[in-house]
């Protein structure tokens, strides 16, 4: 079985690096027979503390933590973004092993797309695909479903760990699991941030330190909405949040308030519907996204 282990293990545990799906399938079958739960953290690498927080959460009793690194071309609607996506494999391996990950699955294109990247199936994502990220990044969520579906077929996890930072992706993945009848339990983990509030992201590596500082404006705008939202029309608060972004030279694709369950855009908030504020904005050529769940405003309804 072509399993590679790191030559030097600086830490107490050994992490397997497995490149072929047939080897991973065989390995995980043995783990299942030994009554181990399979906990899976899919990533595109260039790992940061946000990714590692998912791995940390996945580590537990009687479990095997599998992290995958695969930069999936089919989810990039902009080929330049794909080309420039940061790659830091050596450091990723170091961080994962240090964190206590059991297996790194490192497939190549042939493993994930043995018959090429042509869409073999269209996933019925409905409204989720036409709003916000779906609208600004056509085809993106079909690509996400394509790769996650394939990874789930290989790993067949008991639990799947994903980040709230990619909120719409969380909803899409939940929908995917229903569509493909996967029994995996989804664990959504909170967003880890830099000290200035900027959500950690692999794309932040493409920012200068001055740009990183200014990109903290996304968190400021979300916090502003969070502090000031009241039942009623949301137009004015969105405009003010837009001004905060502009002051930091952030160019917004969208600033939206939407239903937290279905992402239906909210123009007039009733104060009772669980809502979320979402922003996508460019700092220079780098596109960043973030979101914040909004507090419910019961006071106005005498509850
Ligand atoms: P990516 O490598 O960007 O595809 O991300 C892999 C997983 O890590 C996804 O489930 C992301 O939502 C999650 N993730 C990315 N950034 C963060 C963050 N700052 N905090 C927590 N989770 C994150």
């Amino acid at each position: 079985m072509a399993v590679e282990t790191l030559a030097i293990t600086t830490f107490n545990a050994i992490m397997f690096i497995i490149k072929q799906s047939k080897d991973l399938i065989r390995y995980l079958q043995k783990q299942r027979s030994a009554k181990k739960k399979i906990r899976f953290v899919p990533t595109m690498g260039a790992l940061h503390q946000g990714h590692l927080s998912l791995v940390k959460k996945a580590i537990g009793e009687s479990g095997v933590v599998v992290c995958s690194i695969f930069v999936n071309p089919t989810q990039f609607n902009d080929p330049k973004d794909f080309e420039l996506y940061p790659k830091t494999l050596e450091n990723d391996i170091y961080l994962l092993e240090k964190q206590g990950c059991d297996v790194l699955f490192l497939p190549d294109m042939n493993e994930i797309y043995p018959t090429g990247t042509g869409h073999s199936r269209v996933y019925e994502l409905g409204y989720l695909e036409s709003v916000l990220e779906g609208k600004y990044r056509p085809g993106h969520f079909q690509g996400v479903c394509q790769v996650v579906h394939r990874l789930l077929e290989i790993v067949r996890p008991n639990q799947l760990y994903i980040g709230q930072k990619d909120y719409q992706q969380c909803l899409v993945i939940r929908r995917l699991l229903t569509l493909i009848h996967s029994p995996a339990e989804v664990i959504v983990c909170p967003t880890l941030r830099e000290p200035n509030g900027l959500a950690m992201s692999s794309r932040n590596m493409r920012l200068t330190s001055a740009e990183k500082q200014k990109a903290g404006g996304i968190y400021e705008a979300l916090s502003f909405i969070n502090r000031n939202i009241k039942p009623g029309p949301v137009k004015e608060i969105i405009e003010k949040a837009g001004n905060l972004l502009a002051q930091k030279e952030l160019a917004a694709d969208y600033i939206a308030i939407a239903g937290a369950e279905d992402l239906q855009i909210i123009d007039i908030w009733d104060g009772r519907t669980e809502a979320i504020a979402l922003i996508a904005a460019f700092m220079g050529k780098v596109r960043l996204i973030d979101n914040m769940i909004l507090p419910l405003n019961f006071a106005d309804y005498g509850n």
Side-chain angles (χ1 to χ4, degrees):
M1 170 160 143
V3 174
E4 297 170 28
T5 61
L6 285 180
I8 305 165
T9 44
T10 336
F11 313 104
N12 289 335
I14 284 180
M15 179 175 75
F16 291 112
I17 301 178
I18 303 183
K19 295 184 172 177
Q20 299 205 355
S21 34
K22 66 173 176 26
D23 293 330
L24 182 63
I25 289 167
R26 210 177 305 147
Y27 173 82
L28 291 177
Q29 198 44 51
K30 279 193 194 145
Q31 302 300 318
R32 272 184 214 101
S33 306
K35 302 271 180 269
K36 295 265 177 83
K37 298 276 184 229
I38 313 299
R39 310 205 171 103
F40 181 39
V41 183
T43 81
M44 297 205 295
L47 301 183
H48 49 68
Q49 291 302 319
H51 295 115
L52 296 175
S53 71
L54 271 56
V55 173
K56 201 169 167 185
K57 186 122 189 202
I59 294 171
E61 260 175 60
S62 328
V64 175
V65 179
V66 181
C67 177
S68 65
I69 296 182
F70 179 70
V71 186
N72 173 38
T74 69
Q75 71 186 73
F76 285 82
N77 51 316
D78 174 1
K80 198 86 198 145
D81 191 26
F82 176 58
E83 204 184 296
L84 293 175
Y85 201 82
K87 287 166 195 76
T88 59
L89 184 57
E90 255 183 66
N91 192 49
D92 292 351
I93 293 171
Y94 170 82
L95 292 173
L96 285 174
E97 197 195 20
K98 189 172 161 198
Q99 191 64 66
C101 179
D102 298 301
V103 179
L104 166 58
F105 181 41
L106 204 54
D108 66 10
M109 278 289 284
N110 281 334
E111 290 295 323
I112 299 296
Y113 298 114
T115 56
T117 55
H119 285 235
S120 53
R121 170 174 179 171
V122 176
Y123 299 89
E124 294 292 328
L125 302 176
Y127 172 75
L128 276 180
E129 207 176 2
S130 63
V131 69
L132 303 171
E133 289 302 285
K135 179 171 157 191
Y136 282 86
R137 302 187 66 188
H140 168 64
F141 287 128
Q142 288 296 327
V144 169
C145 286
Q146 209 178 2
V147 72
V148 174
H149 188 176
R150 175 76 180 128
L151 287 168
L152 289 175
E153 276 175 352
I154 297 167
V155 180
R156 293 177 42 228
N158 299 93
Q159 278 103 16
L160 177 65
Y161 292 79
I162 53 179
Q164 190 200 309
K165 170 173 172 286
D166 299 284
Y167 190 83
Q168 192 167 0
Q169 176 170 280
C170 293
L171 297 188
V172 164
I173 289 176
R174 281 191 195 280
R175 170 111 189 100
L176 171 70
L177 295 188
T178 307
L179 289 172
I180 64 173
H181 308 290
S182 164
E185 179 192 0
V186 175
I187 316 281
V188 177
C189 304
T191 304
L192 256 74
R193 301 176 179 284
E194 300 291 348
N196 72 344
L198 173 64
M200 289 181 182
S201 164
S202 305
R203 288 188 171 84
N204 295 354
M205 289 179 196
R206 293 175 52 201
L207 300 173
T208 64
S209 55
E211 285 174 330
K212 266 188 205 155
Q213 271 315 312
K214 286 186 284 185
I218 297 176
Y219 180 71
E220 283 171 35
L222 289 169
S223 304
F224 174 81
I225 296 173
N226 189 61
R227 280 195 311 275
N228 295 292
I229 184 106
K230 291 189 185 69
V234 300
K235 189 166 176 275
E236 197 182 318
I237 200 166
I238 286 183
E239 271 171 19
K240 286 184 178 162
N243 293 339
L244 288 173
L245 293 184
Q247 278 168 23
K248 296 284 170 76
E249 293 163 47
L250 284 153
D253 258 354
Y254 59 78
I255 305 171
I257 294 172
E261 270 181 30
D262 53 10
L263 288 190
Q264 289 289 338
I265 300 298
I266 292 175
D267 295 319
I268 300 174
W269 187 47
D270 61 12
R272 286 170 296 190
T273 304
E274 203 180 347
I276 180 164
L278 306 109
I279 291 180
F282 280 90
M283 172 49 70
K285 292 200 165 107
V286 182
R287 189 173 183 278
L288 303 167
I289 59 170
D290 200 354
N291 63 76
M292 200 178 278
I293 300 275
L294 301 176
L296 293 180
N297 193 330
F298 292 105
D300 292 275
Y301 293 89
N303 298 347

